[in-house]
Structures are given as C-alpha cells and as structure tokens.
Amino acid sequence: MTSRRKSNLLISALLLVGDGVLVFFGLYLAYLVRFKTFFPVPKGLPGLAPYLQVYPLATIVILLSFKSFGLYRRQWSLLTSSEPLRVVKGALSGFWGVIILSFVSKHFEYSTGVVMLAAPCIVIPVTVFRTAMRRFEAWYFARAGLTRKLLIVGTGSKARKLITSIKDAPQLCYEIVGVISVSTESRMKEVLGYPVVGTLDEISDFLRKDFVDEVILCIPSLDHERKSKVIVQCEKELIDFRLVPDMYEILTASLEVVSIDGIPLMGLKPLPLDNPWNRLTKRLMDVVGSSVGLVLTAPVVLLAAILVKRTSRGPAFFRQERCGEDRRSFTLYKLRTMTNNAEVQTGPVMTAKNDSRVTPAGAFLRKYNLDELPQLYNVLRGDMSLVGPRPERPFFVEQFKNGIPRYMSRHLVKSGVTGWAQVHGLRQNTSFEE
C-alpha cells in the first residue's frame, strides 16, 4: 500500500472515530437540552439510562448513514464543498433509521424533542470537526509530500480560472507542477505564476518523467484525435485524467462529472477499491484467506518441493520480479517448473505450449496449478491479493502497454493468485490480447 493510501486510510479512521464520539455526544447533549433546561418536562418519560442503552446502536446507524453518503471516501473527491450538506443528509437519514428500528422493536419510547434537538447537536459539531480535519489533511499531505502533482493542459480562460480555484482550495491537496500550451505559437513562459513546461506535442515526454499524478485538460474545443492521444498516454503511465467538457460531452457521457468552483470536470468513475474501507475489507479477507491457505497447503507444497528437487537440478522454489499495483515491482514465489536458469541464453521469453524448458514434474504441477501455491505468502506479505489480474514481468509490461489498449489499468489494483481470466478459462493457450 502506498504512503498516500495509508494516509487516506488514517484520515478516514480519524474521521470515523471523531464522528462516532461527536454523534454520541450530540445525542447525549440533545437529551440534556430537552430535559435539563427550560423546556417543559411531561411526566412518565424514561430517564437517561434507557437513552444511554440505545445511543450506541443509534450512533452506529448514523455512522452507516454517513458512509452511504460518501463521507468516508478519501479518494481526493473534488466535491469537498458539498460535505456539510452530506453531513445533514446523513444525519437525517440516520435518524429515520433509528426511528424505524425503535418502531419495529417496540422496546424503547423516545422523545420527539430529543430527536429534533439531536439534529443540530450532531450536525454542527461534526461539520466543524470535519472542516478542521480538512485543514489538517491539507497541511499534513503538503508537509509529507503526498499532495497530488497536477499538470494543467491549456492556457486559456478556463485553465486560468481552474488554477485560481485550486490555489484558493488547499483542501483539494493539489500541487500544480506546470502548464502545457496547445502550440508553440505565442508560447507563454508562465500562467499565473506556474511555468509552461511544454506543448501538447511534447506532453508524452513530460509524462514519462514520472512525477505527475493527474492531468486536467482545459481545452473543450480540442479535436478528438489529440484528446485521445493524451488519454492513452495518461493510461500508459497510470496517471489520472480529467477534462473540462463541452456541453455535448456532459449530456452524452456516462462518466463521473465533478466540479471545482463551478468548472465541470469529467473523468473515469473511481474504482470501488479507491474507497479505503473497501480496500481494508479486501485486505482482511486476503490475510485470513492466505493464512488459512498456507496452513492447509503446507503438506502439499512440501511434497511438491521434494518432487522438484528429486527430479531436476536447482532450487525447489523459484523467485522472479513481477510488476504489481501502481507498477511497483515485487518478488513473486513459485515452485520451480522449468530447468534451472532456463532463460540464461535467451533472456525473457513467454512460456509456450509444450515448452521444452518445462520439466516432467513441472508439467504435473502446472496442470493442477500447484506451482502457484507459494504465492499465498505473497498475499500474506501484501504484495498480492487472492483475486486480481495476474502479475507480469516488467520486461513484458513495457511491451504490452504500447500494444494493448488499456493494458495498464491492470495495475490500478493488486495482482492476484487468480482472477477473471483464470475463472473464465483464459489460460496460456489464449492470446494475451484476449
């Protein structure tokens, strides 16, 4: 997991804990205001103890409602200005959930006044807390060097307005690294204090330097072919891409449309694993699954390792560099199925059907996928996941990314022991393009 994702998960955890404390406190405060101040108190209503018994469940329901409104997505959402409104919607939806539960259970009688007072007692502190957290987040990410490195394409009025809006919104955690002009004609040296680092024809060279996280194209009138080239180059380098669309693109697109200070930005919808809680859940499943798998398969791996050692020279286990999430390399472990040092003479070569380098024992292990079992250790280490696209060697990744459209999207998530292709029978006798 990258430092930025770890920090996103930490911020989400702090938000969850802070929200939980403030929601519980808000419910308690609502009771005190209703029954311990100047409001008239009718007889026969329950005391504080019954409320305190139900408040933990009510807090959980409201937090789940917050989650449903996207308040724990630390995915660099541009809709930060809508957060107070989402807090209000989440709180009101949570109250309805609590009311329905109390009506169904029939074990608790609540005061309508407490419910009405709970809304401001929760919404106001939570909103203030989240505003402070946004400022802390911007400060922390800037101090830790985790801000999003942004490249603006365009020098016109839309680009200038976007730059101004980003400068005025530090909570977006953007760092503008430069501006790209459309052509060399009347080329400027800077735009609002940011350097013009090249032209649209030179953008590929700039993106390969590997210090840009996101590109925003601010030229709606740019022809389709040149837009496509920028999008393809961003995909190859695993760089997020957004554009300021024209009205036709807004009306016909099925993509995510967000805005900064009224400027619409269109891009691919975030992956489910961009949500840190989904990522945490998947990681917990991987840890439990790989731990159990390593214990259950240990006898099989031991017998297979003995078979490999007794039937061919060389180590029982095979290590190889593979390309995983975010193009980060890791060491993949397998049971050796080929002759030792099989690629010393040829260099990296894809395995072919009836490959002469495969040993008889290796052919048996490959047939039943037993050679892949040591990768459960990779899953436990965090290099891989139980389910995901199979990892490839960096040598072939560099070849495939230029010849296979959207190939690099495989590296937006962790590689897997098995994946969609394997489940659907697309194995070594299938073309890599397919």
Side-chain angles (χ1 to χ4, degrees):
M1 186 183 297
T2 63
S3 298
R4 187 178 290 135
R5 288 202 178 101
K6 288 179 181 178
S7 299
N8 285 342
L9 186 58
L10 174 63
I11 296 294
S12 295
L14 291 175
L15 285 172
L16 180 65
V17 173
D19 286 349
V21 171
L22 291 175
V23 168
F24 189 90
F25 174 76
L27 293 169
Y28 175 67
L29 181 62
Y31 176 89
L32 295 180
V33 173
R34 172 63 184 87
F35 295 118
K36 302 297 182 179
T37 58
F38 52 84
F39 290 104
V41 181
K43 296 181 180 180
L45 288 177
L48 178 59
Y51 279 88
L52 291 179
Q53 291 176 1
V54 78
Y55 277 178
L57 177 61
T59 299
I60 293 173
V61 171
I62 292 172
L63 291 179
L64 289 174
S65 180
F66 281 176
K67 182 179 184 299
S68 69
F69 281 92
L71 288 170
Y72 300 110
R73 293 176 189 160
R74 316 309 300 159
Q75 57 191 24
W76 306 91
S77 172
L78 304 183
L79 299 175
T80 53
S81 59
S82 68
E83 190 169 72
L85 179 59
R86 283 183 284 158
V87 170
V88 173
K89 291 180 178 179
L92 293 179
S93 297
F95 291 146
W96 276 111
V98 173
I99 291 171
I100 292 172
L101 285 175
S102 65
F103 176 77
V104 172
S105 64
K106 298 181 180 179
H107 291 311
F108 176 69
E109 293 183 3
Y110 59 87
S111 166
T112 304
V114 170
V115 174
M116 294 178 64
L117 288 167
C121 288
I122 289 175
V123 170
I124 294 174
V126 168
T127 301
V128 172
F129 164 68
R130 282 178 163 269
T131 300
M133 280 296 297
R134 286 291 188 184
R135 294 183 180 277
F136 167 77
E137 182 180 16
W139 172 83
Y140 172 74
F141 275 81
R143 184 179 178 85
L146 298 175
T147 51
R148 296 277 287 178
K149 305 299 188 295
L150 176 64
L151 181 67
I152 303 290
V153 180
T155 58
S157 59
K158 285 186 172 60
R160 290 171 178 271
K161 183 179 179 182
L162 181 64
I163 291 172
T164 301
S165 300
I166 290 174
K167 288 172 66 176
D168 293 339
Q171 70 272 17
L172 295 177
C173 297
Y174 274 131
E175 178 186 342
I176 300 175
V177 297
V179 179
I180 293 289
S181 64
V182 180
S183 66
T184 56
E185 297 178 6
S186 64
R187 176 171 168 178
M188 310 173 187
K189 292 185 177 180
E190 63 176 41
V191 177
L192 299 180
Y194 294 98
V196 176
V197 295
T199 66
L200 201 56
D201 295 330
E202 302 167 338
I203 191 172
S204 296
D205 296 332
F206 190 80
L207 296 181
R208 291 194 192 99
K209 294 179 181 178
D210 208 25
F211 57 83
V212 176
D213 297 309
E214 185 169 335
V215 170
I216 298 182
L217 179 63
C218 302
I219 315 170
S221 60
L222 192 67
D223 61 89
H224 177 74
E225 182 179 355
R226 299 182 81 184
K227 279 183 186 177
S228 298
K229 287 182 178 179
V230 177
I231 294 172
V232 169
Q233 188 62 41
C234 287
E235 189 275 329
K236 287 180 181 178
E237 305 299 333
L238 289 185
I239 295 172
D240 291 336
F241 175 84
R242 295 181 187 273
L243 62 85
V244 178
D246 57 28
M247 186 55 65
Y248 176 78
E249 287 172 322
I250 293 176
L251 294 175
T252 59
S254 58
L255 305 175
E256 179 189 47
V257 180
V258 296
S259 65
I260 294 180
D261 196 20
I263 302 173
L265 299 176
M266 192 164 66
L268 295 177
K269 290 183 178 180
L271 296 173
L273 286 179
D274 287 337
N275 185 320
W277 299 108
N278 290 345
R279 185 172 287 270
L280 178 60
T281 300
K282 185 171 174 61
R283 179 59 187 151
L284 290 175
M285 293 173 63
D286 286 340
V287 170
V288 173
S290 61
S291 300
V292 173
L294 284 170
V295 173
L296 295 179
T297 62
V300 177
V301 173
L302 177 61
L303 291 174
I306 295 173
L307 176 64
V308 171
K309 286 290 291 181
R310 291 181 64 88
T311 56
S312 63
R313 293 181 179 179
F317 293 94
F318 175 70
R319 296 184 299 176
Q320 191 175 68
E321 183 185 8
R322 295 292 177 101
C323 195
E325 184 180 27
D326 295 329
R327 294 184 298 179
R328 287 181 289 111
S329 296
F330 68 94
T331 301
L332 178 136
Y333 296 91
K334 296 180 67 172
L335 286 161
R336 183 172 58 83
T337 59
M338 291 186 175
T339 56
N340 195 30
N341 299 322
E343 293 182 339
V344 169
Q345 301 296 329
T346 62
V349 178
M350 296 290 289
T351 306
K353 188 177 181 180
N354 300 321
D355 198 314
S356 60
R357 298 172 299 167
V358 178
T359 64
F364 172 80
L365 296 177
R366 284 176 173 243
K367 180 178 179 180
Y368 297 101
N369 298 318
L370 299 178
D371 59 318
E372 311 287 359
L373 291 178
Q375 288 164 45
L376 291 172
Y377 175 64
N378 284 112
V379 176
L380 186 62
R381 284 181 44 167
D383 300 325
M384 298 174 62
S385 179
L386 291 173
V387 179
R390 290 293 296 156
E392 192 48 78
R393 285 185 278 180
F395 176 84
F396 293 114
V397 169
E398 290 301 314
Q399 294 181 359
F400 294 147
K401 78 174 187 179
N402 293 317
I404 301 175
R406 298 213 65 193
Y407 172 79
M408 291 303 292
S409 61
R410 295 165 58 92
H411 300 90
L412 293 173
V413 296
K414 283 185 180 180
S415 304
V417 177
T418 188
W420 187 94
Q422 288 70 38
V423 170
H424 289 78
L426 302 177
R427 294 174 56 81
Q428 290 177 354
N429 58 347
T430 307
S431 69
F432 205 88
E433 288 79 2
E434 184 178 353

